[in-house]
Amino acid sequence: MLVAPSLLTADFLHLEKDVRMVDEHADLIHLDIMDGTLVPNISFGFPVVAGIASIATKPLDAHLMVVNPDKWFERLRELGVQYVSFHIEASGCKTGRFIRQAHKLGFKVGVALDPDVKIEKVFKYVGKADYILVMSVFAGFGGQKFIYETIDRVSKLKAEITRKGASTLIEVDGGVNPSNVKALAEAGVDIVVGGSAVLGAENPAAVIKALQEA
Ligand code: DX5
Ligand code: ZN
């Protein structure tokens, strides 16, 4: 399992310390970018991403929880971000166009969806997007409880990926921890995001390792 710790629950007064720790142990670094409109919260913006990018060696995975996500693709790419995902709730019928736009800039592209969006809605993008980001909590806040129905949604998505023979990966985000990661791995998840379970742990490196071994 690839592990992408989310910096949303990092210690922002000592962000460098958390970035270096995550960078040393994890596979990707997950950046939650919120605009207070698509989701009821605001996180951080470009100056913070630039700071993180200046010391990170692992790929940066930007999760855009914003309306008009395409507006920010170029700027993120300039900062060196390699993975970008945006919500289908924000992109609607422009999803295909946004995927092509982000691909042109050289991104690995993900389509994200909240737990109340039918999983079948993203089937169209299997084989087009590089990954599907299945939310296992409602986007907006770290530290929420994992929604178990996610496992079933992932299984359905995995079946569609297999049916198409596509190489699209599955990333799951929200409430992931060492006790539910095994079920996610069995359902076909390739990448997990870990926020509070990782950064709130006494030994974050050990939690990252436990998630990777699932
Ligand atoms: C929620 C974010 C998640 C979140 C994960 O909107 O997309 O990435 O930070 O944090 P935990 O693992 O605490 O749910
Ligand atoms: Zn996220």
Side-chain angles (χ1 to χ4, degrees), residues 30 32 63 65 133 135 173 193:
H30 187 82
D32 287 303
H63 174 193
M65 288 162 271
L133 175 50
M135 292 303 299
D173 181 6
V193 175

Side-chain angles (χ1 to χ4, degrees), residues 182-199:
K182 191 119 193 82
L184 289 169
E186 281 164 9
V189 173
D190 304 283
I191 309 167
V192 285
V193 175
S196 45
V198 173
L199 285 145

Side-chain angles (χ1 to χ4, degrees), residues 61-64 73 84-92 94-100 102-103 108-114 117-119 121-135 157 168-172:
D61 169 32
H63 174 193
L64 302 184
F73 290 164
V84 72
S85 65
F86 53 84
H87 277 253
I88 193 164
E89 302 94 292
S91 54
K94 296 183 192 145
T95 304
R97 194 195 309 168
F98 289 179
I99 293 173
R100 288 192 294 278
H103 270 155
K108 296 266 185 217
V109 188
V111 175
L113 75 166
D114 255 11
V117 178
K118 273 191 176 272
I119 195 73
K121 276 221 164 185
V122 295
F123 282 8
K124 229 172 122 172
Y125 307 107
V126 166
K128 296 198 172 96
D130 299 286
Y131 59 105
I132 303 291
L133 175 50
V134 181
M135 292 303 299
L157 176 59
T168 301
L169 302 178
I170 303 177
E171 180 173 18
V172 167

